[in-house]
Structure formats: C-alpha cells, structure tokens
C-alpha cells in the first residue's frame, strides 16, 4: 500500500511562491503515476497536475500551466509541486495522490487515483 503525507502549505501573498511536498511510503511508490489535486470550499476536487512513474512526462490543468511544476524524486520517495505566481483563486486544500494506471485516458479524474494524502491548505491573499 502507498501512504502519502503532504506538507508545505500556508499563507502567501498573490504573486508569491510556495512549494508543496508529498512524502510517500510503500514499496510500490516508484511504479505509480502521481497527481496533485485541489479542492476549494464549496467546489469539487479539481485536477492540478500529474507526473508519470519515471518523472519524464507531466501534464497540467490549463489554470496552472506555466505557473506550477510537478516533479518527483523516487530515491527520496517524494513528489513536489512548485507553485509560482500564485493567485487568490489558487486557494484550496491541495492533495497528492497515487494512480494505479499509467494510461493517459482518465489521468485527470480523481476516481482514477486510489491513494490520497490528508491534504495541505494553501491560502493566497489578494
């Protein structure tokens, strides 16, 4: 089983940067595509970014493209989300997740991910 714990959230001014970390445990971590999702109050969970098992392929939601960067370090069992040029609309609880499938189809769907962290709050003030 893969267990995930996010950290690095906090309060930041608009235009600022924040780096989220996801510490993973479990013997299958390096074989899992990983994703970041976020959920704002009153809204559905939203796809942010995903990265393949080797870290050679990434995909981003249009809303964060060019501002956020997902990366992973399998040797350290870590996944990261570098968030730059933050906007108030980025305010949400951010979750890292592990996906069993490696196919492109469905990679933005929360239902495709079977392991989830507890979430970390990101608040961007205007």
């Amino acid at each position: 089983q893969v267990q995930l714990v996010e950290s690095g959230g906090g309060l930041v001014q608009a235009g600022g940067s924040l780096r989220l970390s996801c510490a993973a445990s479990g013997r299958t971590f390096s074989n899992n595509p990983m994703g970041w999702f976020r959920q704002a109050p009153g809204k559905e969970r939203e796809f942010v970014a995903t990265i393949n098992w080797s870290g050679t392929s990434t995909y981003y939601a249009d809303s964060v493209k060019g501002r956020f960067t997902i990366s992973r370090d399998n040797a350290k069992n870590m996944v990261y989300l570098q968030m730059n040029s933050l906007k108030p609309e980025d305010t949400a609880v951010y979750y890292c997740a592990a996906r069993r499938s490696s196919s492109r189809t469905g990679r933005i769907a929360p239902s495709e991910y079977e392991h989830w962290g507890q979430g970390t709050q990101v608040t961007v003030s205007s």
Side-chain angles (χ1 to χ4, degrees):
Q1 294 292 321
V2 176
Q3 297 177 340
L4 308 171
V5 179
E6 303 96 333
S7 62
L11 176 64
V12 65
Q13 291 279 97
S17 297
L18 206 59
R19 185 178 179 86
L20 306 183
S21 298
C22 177
S25 62
R27 299 173 69 180
T28 62
F29 168 74
S30 63
N31 294 325
N32 287 106
M34 299 293 294
W36 285 96
F37 292 78
R38 65 188 183 186
Q39 189 165 20
K43 303 191 71 175
E44 294 184 356
R45 192 161 297 189
E46 175 189 25
F47 168 77
V48 175
T50 189
I51 187 167
N52 73 340
W53 70 272
S54 64
T56 58
S57 180
T58 59
Y59 182 72
Y60 299 90
D62 288 342
S63 59
V64 307
K65 195 173 300 180
R67 300 188 298 121
F68 291 9
T69 302
I70 187 172
S71 61
R72 69 190 299 165
D73 185 341
N74 290 339
K76 297 181 178 180
N77 292 333
M78 296 290 291
V79 182
Y80 307 98
L81 185 68
Q82 178 65 46
M83 310 163 67
N84 298 327
S85 301
L86 283 162
K87 305 174 181 179
E89 51 262 46
D90 295 319
T91 296
V93 176
Y94 283 71
Y95 300 89
C96 65
R99 185 187 182 210
R100 186 170 187 174
S101 174
S102 60
S103 68
R104 287 179 171 82
T105 302
R107 60 183 169 176
I108 70 170
S111 61
E112 287 283 319
Y113 295 76
E114 60 181 359
H115 302 289
W116 294 83
Q118 84 290 348
T120 185
Q121 176 70 47
V122 172
T123 302
V124 184
S125 62
S126 60

